[in-house]
Amino acid sequence: MQPLLVVAAVVRDGGRVLACRRAAGRDAAGRWEFPGGKVEPGEDPAAALVREIREELGIGIHVGALLDRSVTPRADGPAIDLACYDCTLAGPAPGSSTDHDALRWLPPERLAELDWADADRPAVRLLTATPEEDA
């Protein structure tokens, strides 16, 4: 079974990163993730990310460099091939989400305090690594 191609935005603003908690009734409900969604067949990943963020959060973003791409297996379906991109706001910050029941802005060093969805954990590890850990 082919992995499901998903894109996510690591939205940064003033030294903080946006974390979103999955609402009840959704996959990984109650766990935190970077916002985003599925890439449609033939769709450019960056365009998919801009579309998904507008649909979920009602905001615009600038998509930057790829930060992490990891494949996470799932017991109940295809693996998740998640590409996380460095992003910045293209206007005001979001106030709500169609897919999430909480939005939180945190400094990168505090991201590990949250209970992250499995597919987002590699990007969180990357963002919370200290320079000594990278060496």
Side-chain angles (χ1 to χ4, degrees), residues 31-48:
R31 297 181 83 188
W32 294 84
E33 69 177 0
F34 298 113
K38 297 174 193 162
V39 178
E40 299 297 333
E43 189 175 27
D44 175 74

Side-chain angles (χ1 to χ4, degrees), residues 18-23 32-33 96-97 99-104:
L18 179 63
C20 301
R21 188 175 64 197
R22 298 286 291 173
W32 294 84
E33 69 177 0
S96 64
S97 170
D99 289 359
H100 306 95
D101 62 8
L103 306 178
R104 194 178 289 176

Side-chain angles (χ1 to χ4, degrees), residues 34 70 112 118 120-130 133-134:
F34 298 113
S70 300
D118 293 342
D120 293 82
R121 290 177 184 268
V124 170
R125 279 193 295 275
L126 178 72
L127 291 165
T128 58
T130 61
E133 291 173 343
D134 291 341

Side-chain angles (χ1 to χ4, degrees), residues 53-68:
I53 296 304
R54 184 155 311 282
E55 289 173 5
E56 282 182 22
L57 300 174
I59 64 165
I61 57 167
H62 298 290
V63 179
L66 178 67
L67 290 175
D68 181 72

Side-chain angles (χ1 to χ4, degrees), residues 10 35 40 51 55 74 93 119:
V10 177
E40 299 297 333
R51 175 185 54 76
E55 289 173 5
R74 293 189 308 169

Side-chain angles (χ1 to χ4, degrees), residues 81-134:
D81 180 352
L82 178 63
C84 293
Y85 291 86
D86 198 14
C87 297
T88 55
L89 295 171
S96 64
S97 170
T98 59
D99 289 359
H100 306 95
D101 62 8
L103 306 178
R104 194 178 289 176
W105 290 95
L106 294 170
E109 62 272 12
R110 293 202 43 221
L111 292 174
E113 296 173 10
L114 302 177
D115 180 21
W116 288 88
D118 293 342
D120 293 82
R121 290 177 184 268
V124 170
R125 279 193 295 275
L126 178 72
L127 291 165
T128 58
T130 61
E132 302 82 52
E133 291 173 343
D134 291 341

